[in-house]
């Protein structure tokens, strides 16, 4: 049986996608963008090994994101894409060279198992293969005079990745190639390898610009299904202390919250909201307040449990909203940190997390500063197909 190795190219800076963090490490539909292709390739039964080539400044980040995948090796890439691919190919060649190699861009999350199957099957008949889509739009070329001229689209193709190759031939082609190629098919063509294009997939679009994230999300999200809505409410009494935990942030204060765990009333309410949306009971059903295991436990334990349960049930969190009800401490100075902590734990973008505060105008137990209350709401939507599914 032929051995196949995949190379995942993830060393680029992704500057056109905006933000300082390269796009492959940003959250996309509940997991880092890098994980989509890594899961699809490493989980395929015909892929024997996955090489992930990353920038040297993000080696530790990638290792943390991919640490639970067994058949993955992380290597440092180069400055340009061609250099990165060549370095990865040489890493593979230094061991037990495979028969086939698939080279894929980390910014294309919509890779299916059927596409991988089709590419590997095609390699039995050609030196190189890649998915491609025909051009549907009219195509124009700008001229030096500021005008535009028509381009015949009949023979034009939008080439995607993964691009698949007979390993010895693409290795030799990269060793002989000079300069930076637009893709690996260009390197193959320069070496006069035989190339075959197979039908591409719109879901394999490359995320390049900020607006592409929303387009890819629509392509990879299942057809409309009614969202799940959940609400949660929690109360904790105040007692003497010097700080308290609210939505994952330790806030200095003259009192603390009383509870079996760390008494983070905001995250407790949010946990209950998520469990409610899943019809999975409440926080006490899963983490009994009489169980000594949870004495002083961080509320991140409870909220992360609820997050994982969402994925297991086939949903993803669309957005959350938490309201803290108290006279003191002041929430506004800590709100951004609370939103960031919540977004990070739930693997959401910051704009999907709302945290706000209100008072009861000195009325009731919160008005008398006897305790803090919180209410939360959450919306869940159907999760996109897991990477690698047909």
């Amino acid at each position: 049986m032929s051995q196949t190795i995949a190379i995942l190219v993830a060393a680029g800076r992704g500057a056109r996608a905006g933000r300082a963090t390269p796009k492959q490490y940003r959250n996309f539909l509940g997991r880092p963008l890098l994980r989509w292709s890594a899961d699809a390739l490493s989980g395929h039964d015909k892929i024997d090994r996955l090489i992930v080539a990353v920038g040297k400044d993000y080696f530790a980040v990638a290792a943390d994101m991919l640490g639970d995948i067994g058949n993955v090796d992380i290597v440092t890439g180069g400055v340009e894409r061609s250099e990165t691919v060549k370095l990865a190919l040489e890493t593979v060649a230094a061991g037990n060279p495979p028969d086939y190699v698939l080279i894929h861009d980390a910014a294309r999350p919509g890779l299916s198992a059927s596409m991988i199957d089709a590419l590997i099957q095609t390699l039995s008949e050609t030196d190189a293969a890649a998915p491609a889509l025909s051009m549907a739009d009219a195509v124009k070329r700008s001229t030096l005079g500021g005008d535009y001229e028509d381009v015949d689209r009949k023979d034009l193709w939008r080439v995607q990745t993964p691009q698949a190759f007979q390993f010895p031939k693409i290795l030799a082609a990269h060793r002989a190639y000079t300069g930076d190629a637009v893709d690996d098919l260009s390197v193959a063509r320069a070496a006069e390898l035989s190339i075959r294009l197979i039908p591409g997939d719109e879901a394999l679009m490359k995320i390049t610009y900020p607006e592409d994230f929303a387009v890819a999300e629509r392509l990879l999200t299942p057809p409309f299904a009614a969202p799940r809505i959940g609400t949660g409410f929690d109360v904790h009494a105040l007692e003497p202390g010097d700080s308290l935990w609210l939505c994952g942030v330790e806030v200095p204060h003259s009192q603390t919250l009383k509870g079996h765990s760390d008494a983070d009333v905001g995250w407790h309410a949010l946990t209950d909201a998520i469990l409610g949306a899943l019809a999975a009971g409440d926080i006490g059903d899963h983490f009994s307040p009489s169980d000594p295991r949870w004495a002083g436990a961080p509320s991140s334990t409870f909220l992360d449990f609820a997050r994982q349960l969402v994925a297991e049930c086939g949903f993803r969190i669309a957005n959350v909203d938490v309201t803290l009800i108290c006279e003191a401490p002041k929430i506004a100075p800590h709100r951004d940190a609370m939103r960031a902590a919540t977004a990070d734990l739930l693997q959401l973008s910051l704009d999907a997390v709302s945290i706000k505060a209100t008072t009861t105008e000195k009325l009731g137990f919160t008005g008398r500063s006897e305790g803090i209350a919180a209410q939360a709401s959450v919306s869940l939507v159907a999760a996109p197909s897991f990477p690698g599914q047909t």
Side-chain angles (χ1 to χ4, degrees), residues 260-261 283-284 286-295:
H260 185 59
S261 64
I283 193 171
H286 301 275
F287 303 95
S288 172
S290 63
D291 191 332
R293 289 182 299 168
W294 314 124

Side-chain angles (χ1 to χ4, degrees), residues 36-250:
W36 283 75
S37 296
D39 286 331
L41 291 165
S42 66
H44 196 281
D45 60 4
K46 291 187 177 69
I47 302 294
D48 300 287
R49 181 183 173 201
L50 173 62
I51 306 295
V52 181
V54 303
K56 61 182 178 62
D57 295 338
Y58 287 89
F59 192 97
V61 175
D64 182 61
M65 288 181 175
L66 304 174
D68 60 330
I69 303 178
N71 59 338
V72 173
D73 293 307
I74 302 174
V75 300
T76 301
V79 177
E80 302 294 343
R81 186 185 185 283
S82 292
E83 181 186 4
T84 295
V85 173
K86 184 178 179 181
L87 287 170
L89 289 170
E90 295 291 359
T91 297
V92 174
N96 181 26
D99 301 287
Y100 302 147
V101 61
L102 271 62
I103 304 173
H104 187 51
D105 293 330
R108 295 183 185 270
L111 178 58
S112 67
S114 58
M115 180 61 73
I116 296 173
D117 285 332
L119 287 166
I120 294 174
Q121 182 178 355
T122 304
L123 282 180
S124 63
E125 305 167 354
T126 186
D127 297 331
L133 297 169
S134 59
M135 298 289 293
D137 300 316
V139 180
K140 307 288 183 181
R141 180 189 292 115
S142 57
T143 64
L144 292 177
D147 198 1
Y148 299 92
E149 60 184 18
D150 293 330
V151 176
D152 187 355
R153 66 189 178 194
K154 181 179 62 175
D155 296 319
L156 296 181
W157 298 91
R158 296 155 46 203
V159 180
Q160 302 175 310
T161 71
Q163 295 177 1
F165 304 92
Q166 300 277 351
F167 180 81
K169 294 184 178 181
I170 192 62
L171 175 65
H174 265 280
R175 285 173 172 172
Y177 195 86
T178 58
D180 187 43
V182 65
D183 66 359
D184 299 292
L185 282 192
S186 296
V187 177
R189 184 173 178 274
E192 299 184 348
L193 303 186
S194 60
I195 297 171
R196 180 174 299 179
L197 299 182
I198 67 171
D201 185 351
E202 290 288 355
L204 260 177
M205 70 166 284
K206 184 177 181 181
I207 295 177
T208 303
Y209 302 103
E211 58 270 22
D212 291 342
F213 279 90
V215 177
E217 180 174 337
R218 289 194 294 271
L219 286 171
L220 297 177
T221 299
F224 175 79
R228 293 284 194 99
I229 306 298
T231 62
F233 182 81
D234 195 41
V235 173
H236 281 278
L238 286 162
E239 60 183 9
D242 54 15
S243 67
L244 47 81
W245 286 91
L246 289 172
C247 293
V249 175
E250 188 173 15

Side-chain angles (χ1 to χ4, degrees), residues 245 259-264 268 287 292-302:
W245 286 91
H260 185 59
S261 64
D262 66 3
D264 188 330
H268 288 187
F287 303 95
R293 289 182 299 168
W294 314 124
S299 295
S300 58
T301 300
F302 315 142

